[in-house]
Amino acid sequence: MANYDESRLSAPALLAASPIHSAVAMKMHVPVLYTFLPATVQWLMSCCCPKSWSPQWKRRYLIALGEYLYRFKDESGSSPKGSPISAATTDARIVSNNDNDDGGVFSDIGDFKIGLNMLPEGCDALFVISSIGKTQYFAVESREEAMTWVNSLRQMRQDAITRNMGHSKDIPYPDEWKSFDKSAKRLKDQKTRIKSRLDAMNRKEQEMQSLGGAGGGAAGMGYMS
């Protein structure tokens, strides 16, 4: 199967199609290894190690259109960052310090806690997008902006479910949006296949290393000496 051209889903093209909502947001990026470390080690890493080793906020331009949420580096992005997020299989909500009694703590990412004092400059609210096996955090300027995103994504989810059940035949849905939805699904499926192949290769490599370690015994130790 030929590789899919991501440039079909450029930010300018999506913006020209009258999206449901679009705006800048700050996305929390957390290194995978970081989530498995004890809190004390996390603290040491944040103080002494390169910033890329610790959670950090990255600017993204979000576009909600049709049945998908797209993330771009900026408004002129030629292709999405990562896979398009399907609204039909996600849940969105605002997270506030009222969700936790630990004074100003919003939520946990593993053992890592996001607090009010950790939001990026200019942002006063946080919303979360959750799907199977993945949770993403976005900081925005105000609670009103966070609510706009949450309401938009929830409405997109409901509309997508209604269409998939065949109950929206009389509700207009732009042909251009249908075209973008098909492109988004192809791109998402392609990235899923690539990830599955990489995961399989990693598992095989780990199995080979495990077998090598189990069978090496004294011979392996003698080689290293």
Side-chain angles (χ1 to χ4, degrees):
M1 181 178 294
N3 288 337
Y4 177 68
D5 181 8
E6 296 182 31
S7 63
R8 168 75 176 88
L9 295 171
S10 69
L14 295 174
L15 290 171
S18 302
I20 297 168
H21 189 51
S22 62
V24 172
M26 301 296 288
K27 183 180 184 296
M28 170 60 78
H29 285 254
V30 183
V32 175
L33 177 62
Y34 191 92
T35 62
F36 297 101
L37 298 175
T40 52
V41 178
Q42 291 179 357
W43 180 81
L44 287 173
M45 287 181 63
S46 64
C47 295
C48 308
C49 296
K51 289 185 178 180
S52 60
W53 293 16
S54 302
Q56 56 185 310
W57 295 100
K58 293 188 177 181
R59 185 184 187 276
R60 292 289 179 259
Y61 192 81
L62 307 183
I63 301 178
L65 184 144
E67 296 187 3
Y68 290 87
L69 175 69
Y70 304 86
R71 295 157 294 166
F72 294 89
K73 183 177 180 179
D74 52 41
E75 300 90 325
S76 60
S78 60
S79 61
K81 302 286 289 184
S83 297
I85 300 173
S86 172
T89 58
T90 60
D91 180 51
R93 67 185 180 92
I94 292 179
V95 188
S96 69
N97 57 344
N98 293 328
D99 292 344
N100 197 306
D101 294 330
D102 190 10
V105 172
F106 278 132
S107 187
D108 293 345
I109 304 178
D111 289 328
F112 175 69
K113 295 182 177 181
I114 300 178
L116 280 168
N117 61 338
M118 298 184 68
L119 291 179
E121 184 178 356
C123 294
D124 291 323
L126 187 77
F127 70 94
V128 180
I129 300 176
S130 301
S131 56
I132 300 174
K134 191 170 186 179
T135 299
Q136 301 184 59
Y137 294 77
F138 297 90
V140 291
E141 291 183 353
S142 65
R143 185 176 178 83
E144 289 73 21
E145 175 66 11
M147 183 61 72
T148 298
W149 276 115
V150 169
N151 289 341
S152 297
L153 292 168
R154 287 178 175 175
Q155 187 62 53
M156 288 168 63
R157 176 180 180 177
Q158 184 58 49
D159 291 346
I161 292 173
T162 300
R163 279 192 298 275
N164 292 336
M165 294 177 65
H167 296 163
S168 61
K169 296 180 180 179
D170 298 328
I171 301 176
Y173 192 72
D175 290 338
E176 191 173 18
W177 287 16
K178 294 178 183 178
S179 177
F180 282 126
D181 286 347
K182 291 179 181 178
S183 296
K185 185 178 186 305
R186 289 198 296 269
L187 176 58
K188 186 177 179 67
D189 290 346
Q190 175 183 304
K191 288 185 176 292
T192 298
R193 289 193 297 271
I194 292 173
K195 184 177 184 301
S196 296
R197 288 197 294 268
L198 290 175
D199 289 344
M201 291 172 60
N202 288 335
R203 286 195 299 271
K204 185 174 182 180
E205 183 178 352
Q206 290 173 0
E207 290 173 359
M208 294 297 291
Q209 291 176 348
S210 177
L211 290 173
M221 293 176 63
Y223 176 80
M224 290 299 294
S225 65

